[in-house]
Amino acid sequence: MTDTTTPAADAARLHDHYPSLDELTTTAHQLAAQRPDLCRVRTIGTSRAGRPLTLLTVGHGPHDLLVVAGAHADEFAGRATTLHLAHHALTHPHPGLTWHFLLCLDPDGAHLADGSRTARTLRAYYDHYFRPAAEDQPEWAPAIDSDLPESRALLDLVDELRPTLQFSLHSTDVGGTFVQATSDPTALAHPFARSAAYHGIPVETGAFDTFHLHESAPGLYLMAPHHIDHQETTTGMLTPDRDGGHRTGTWFAPQRHGGETVLVEVPAFTSAHLGDTRPADDVRRYLSTCAARLRHRATLLTALLDGALPHVRNPDTPLLRAARTPLAALHQLADEWDPELRGADLLRTPITRARLTGIDLWAHRVPVRAAALLRRAVRVAGAPAAREAARLDHLLRDWCAQYQQRFDPVWLPVAHQAAHQATTVRTAVALRHPTP
């Protein structure tokens, strides 16, 4: 199914290890020193905090491929996948291809999220959780007119390279695997499903991220403006502008040069409850229950935030900004699902059991994210906010336990995450650029 003989694959298999950013950068420079005929490393820009955005290039072919890791700070699988792909590009060179690996698009966020990198339980993962505010996420910021240097660096790189394919490597806490692409991904169906089965990863057919996308095959989704402009700040990458058009994030940038983007999602923890395509029963009650849960948890968290704010010296820290994004999403999603509000639209569409499970997954995930981020932000205030911090700790422990009980997550070894993601990337490349 995939090459497991590379040093990166060996390290992931033996140590079940996500590379740190320092390890990623060191390995890139080592490869360039060992194989200067094929590898080079350069800095394409700097983050808001002055951290370098490092690009590793392998090969000299006329067709350029761009692989972007670390777009979301809380997603670590892409790091292992990047090293896996880089070693494979060196040991199996394709004369027509040049691979470019952007090692981490958001190093500032990655720095704040690093405590979760070694977690192997859901609670440990959320003890040190960080995911930036929506406007601080470089892939999406251009869609909401947020001008980040990381976004500009990536968009400039796309214009420089004109990649035939851009790959964005994503992962999640609990879930399965799925693909989103800006061109029809149907040709990936068989190899994608085979790889997922081989690596013990369920294909997720009901992820809420994909509700408004066209499903080309199980777990394979086509992205287009009229499919995903509906998602707004909770999940999507496009926002309608005042003229009725769309401001696009970085996913659609390669299209202006004839290229396409493929996103490959893998889970850190798998769950067996995600692929049931049978029609769902009692949908109205289910949606009402999930919406009510979100509103109740939003009320608890908002009260704790209000109580802690007078004791927080700086109300505009990355942690507080980050906490406000899932807090806002709690209200938005509750209205989206409530059958008495916008949930009425969901009732008019076919709802499978997998889709209801996808909603339930978000109804657990988003409050846990909000509680984890808010707890970190409040702890900075010290003793004056100790009551709020203790209450947040209790809520996080309780909600994580409910999340665990509902989905029974099982840790997926890093080697399996990286191998499946790499296999999917290489399959998409082979379909676009067959080996001569």
Side-chain angles (χ1 to χ4, degrees):
M1 290 299 303
T2 189
D3 180 11
T4 59
T5 62
T6 68
D10 286 341
R13 184 173 62 253
L14 293 173
H15 305 294
D16 197 27
H17 173 66
Y18 294 124
S20 68
L21 292 191
D22 286 344
E23 288 171 327
L24 268 179
T25 304
T26 297
T27 301
H29 283 285
Q30 288 173 343
L31 292 177
Q34 293 164 4
R35 293 297 306 272
D37 56 320
L38 282 177
C39 292
R40 50 256 186 228
V41 176
R42 64 181 167 118
T43 299
I44 64 160
T46 55
S47 70
R48 283 151 282 171
R51 294 182 172 90
L53 303 176
T54 304
L55 187 76
L56 168 65
T57 297
V58 180
H60 298 284
H63 301 294
D64 292 281
L65 309 170
L66 176 59
V67 178
V68 180
H72 288 146
D74 56 328
E75 301 176 4
F76 306 109
R79 303 180 186 185
T81 304
T82 292
L83 292 185
H84 191 120
L85 288 167
H87 280 286
H88 189 272
L90 271 174
T91 55
H92 300 76
H94 187 303
L97 301 177
T98 300
W99 291 81
H100 304 273
F101 300 96
L102 183 52
L103 302 185
C104 184
L105 179 59
D106 183 13
D108 296 349
H111 177 73
L112 287 169
D114 195 61
S116 293
R117 181 171 53 87
T118 58
R120 296 297 178 266
T121 66
L122 204 56
R123 177 61 198 272
Y125 175 74
Y126 278 107
D127 271 343
H128 304 281
Y129 181 76
F130 180 74
R131 183 185 181 96
E135 64 271 19
D136 293 337
Q137 296 176 18
E139 268 194 336
W140 188 37
I144 52 174
D145 284 346
S146 180
D147 186 21
L148 304 181
E150 299 91 338
S151 307
R152 293 198 304 272
L154 177 54
L155 291 171
D156 288 346
L157 184 64
V158 168
D159 288 340
E160 173 197 336
L161 300 177
R162 298 174 173 249
T164 59
L165 287 169
Q166 174 186 228
F167 294 96
S168 184
L169 305 180
H170 287 258
S171 56
T172 191
D173 54 358
V174 179
T177 181
F178 57 91
V179 167
Q180 300 173 74
T182 58
S183 61
D184 186 2
T186 302
L188 282 171
H190 179 65
F192 171 75
R194 185 176 59 180
S195 174
Y198 182 83
H199 295 292
I201 309 173
V203 173
E204 191 166 356
T205 61
F208 187 67
D209 311 52
T210 63
F211 264 36
H212 301 286
L213 309 187
H214 170 74
E215 187 172 21
S216 299
L220 301 177
Y221 299 92
L222 174 66
M223 295 188 297
H226 65 284
H227 290 143
I228 69 174
D229 62 3
H230 193 93
Q231 296 288 59
E232 299 177 350
T233 59
T234 54
T235 60
M237 293 296 293
L238 295 180
T239 301
D241 65 25
R242 295 191 187 113
D243 300 322
H246 296 85
R247 299 188 299 270
T248 65
T250 61
W251 293 353
F252 290 85
Q255 287 188 326
R256 58 179 172 252
H257 306 298
E260 302 295 344
T261 295
V262 178
L263 281 79
V264 188
E265 186 103 23
V266 294
F269 299 89
T270 62
S271 176
H273 305 285
L274 302 167
D276 190 340
T277 57
R278 291 176 294 176
D281 299 320
D282 206 5
V283 175
R284 176 179 287 275
R285 181 190 62 81
Y286 203 101
L287 292 175
S288 296
T289 299
C290 289
R293 182 193 307 153
L294 290 187
R295 290 198 179 99
H296 174 65
R297 294 184 175 184
T299 298
L300 294 175
L301 293 174
T302 300
L304 289 167
L305 174 59
D306 291 343
L309 272 179
H311 309 296
V312 176
R313 187 169 300 175
N314 180 3
D316 193 38
T317 64
L319 286 166
L320 272 175
R321 287 203 308 275
R324 289 188 176 102
T325 289
L327 268 177
L330 291 175
H331 296 287
Q332 292 169 358
L333 289 171
D335 290 349
E336 182 96 359
W337 299 340
D338 189 337
E340 304 306 318
L341 298 172
R342 294 202 301 273
D345 294 336
L346 282 175
L347 293 174
R348 288 191 286 270
T349 64
I351 298 290
T352 63
R353 297 184 184 186
R355 282 195 158 201
L356 280 192
T357 302
I359 286 175
D360 198 9
L361 186 68
W362 274 64
H364 283 84
R365 176 187 292 151
V366 178
V368 168
R369 284 181 175 181
L373 290 165
L374 190 54
R375 186 185 66 158
R376 285 189 69 181
V378 166
R379 278 180 167 177
V380 175
R387 185 187 71 84
E388 288 82 6
R391 178 62 175 153
L392 285 163
D393 189 67
H394 171 77
L395 290 178
L396 181 59
R397 184 168 57 250
D398 181 36
W399 295 350
C400 267
Q402 292 182 40
Y403 196 2
Q404 177 90 24
Q405 183 177 19
R406 169 66 178 88
F407 288 97
D408 194 21
V410 176
W411 173 252
L412 181 67
V414 173
H416 291 261
Q417 299 175 39
H420 172 63
Q421 206 164 44
T423 296
T424 304
V425 168
R426 287 164 43 204
T427 300
V429 171
L431 289 168
R432 180 75 179 249
H433 301 286
T435 302

